[in-house]
C-alpha cells in the first residue's frame, strides 16, 4: 500500500463500506427500512409504520443509493435518494420547493425558472 493510499479518504471508505444503486426490490426495501429506523423511530419526523418502511410520493421519481458495510456479510447502514423533477409537469414541486415555499429566497435561486428536466434534489440522506 502506497503512502497516498494509506491517507486517502476514498481508500479508507472503501475498506469499510460499499455504495450501490437500489434498483431491485430487496435493495429498495433495505433503503425504506433504514429511512424508517432513522426518520420514524429515532428522530420522530414521520409516524412509525407497521411495515417499518418509510416511503413517500417522491420515491417513484427518485434514484436510490444504499450504503452497506464491506465484507462477507454486508449490512445496510445508510442511504440517500435523488428526487428527479418532472420535466412535463412544472407544477409538481420538489420536496424542498414545497416545504420551503414561503421562506425560499428566489433572488438567490428560483427553481421555477430552471429547466425541470435538469434539476433534482438530494434527500433522505
Amino acid at each position: 500500500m502506497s503512502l497516498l493510499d494509506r491517507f486517502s479518504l476514498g481508500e479508507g471508505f472503501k475498506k469499510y463500506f460499499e455504495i450501490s444503486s437500489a434498483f431491485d426490490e430487496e435493495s429498495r426495501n433495505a433503503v425504506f427500512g433504514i429511512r424508517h429506523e432513522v426518520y420514524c423511530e429515532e428522530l420522530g419526523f414521520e409516524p412509525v409504520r407497521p411495515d417499518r418502511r418509510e416511503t413517500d410520493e417522491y420515491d417513484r421519481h427518485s434514484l436510490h443509493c444504499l450504503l452497506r458495510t464491506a465484507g462477507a456479510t454486508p449490512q445496510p447502514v445508510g442511504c440517500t435518494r435523488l428526487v428527479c423533477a418532472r420535466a412535463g409537469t412544472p407544477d409538481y414541486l420538489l420536496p424542498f420547493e414545497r416545504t420551503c415555499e414561503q421562506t425560499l429566497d428566489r433572488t438567490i435561486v428560483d427553481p421555477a425558472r430552471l429547466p425541470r428536466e435538469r434539476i433534482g434534489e438530494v434527500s433522505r440522506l
Side-chain angles (χ1 to χ4, degrees), residues 58 61 82-98 104 106 109-121:
Y58 296 102
H61 307 284
L82 173 63
V83 180
C84 302
R86 291 182 175 177
T89 315
D91 294 337
Y92 189 80
L93 303 178
L94 293 168
F96 177 79
E97 293 175 285
R98 183 179 289 169
L104 185 60
R106 295 183 187 277
V109 64
D110 186 357
R113 297 167 119 181
L114 299 172
R116 300 304 285 182
E117 69 277 1
R118 299 186 71 191
I119 66 170
E121 176 180 330

Side-chain angles (χ1 to χ4, degrees), residues 4-114:
L4 183 59
D5 289 340
R6 192 170 191 199
F7 293 106
S8 167
L9 184 58
E11 288 301 315
F13 184 87
K14 288 192 301 188
K15 183 176 177 181
Y16 298 104
F17 301 104
E18 59 184 43
I19 299 173
S20 64
S21 57
F23 291 133
D24 61 86
E25 187 175 347
E26 182 181 348
S27 296
R28 286 176 65 109
N29 281 332
V31 165
F32 299 147
I34 291 168
R35 285 173 30 182
H36 187 273
E37 188 177 323
V38 172
Y39 287 96
C40 303
E41 297 171 25
E42 291 178 14
L43 300 176
F45 290 156
E46 299 287 341
V48 172
R49 300 175 184 177
D51 65 358
R52 300 197 73 233
R53 296 172 78 239
E54 194 280 319
T55 63
D56 63 25
E57 66 182 279
Y58 296 102
D59 289 320
R60 288 173 291 170
H61 307 284
S62 301
L63 302 172
H64 300 270
C65 288
L66 180 60
L67 178 69
R68 293 184 182 109
T69 57
T73 55
Q75 298 296 311
V77 293
C79 60
T80 190
R81 72 177 175 186
L82 173 63
V83 180
C84 302
R86 291 182 175 177
T89 315
D91 294 337
Y92 189 80
L93 303 178
L94 293 168
F96 177 79
E97 293 175 285
R98 183 179 289 169
T99 304
C100 301
E101 185 176 14
Q102 302 302 316
T103 58
L104 185 60
D105 185 348
R106 295 183 187 277
T107 63
I108 296 172
V109 64
D110 186 357
R113 297 167 119 181
L114 299 172

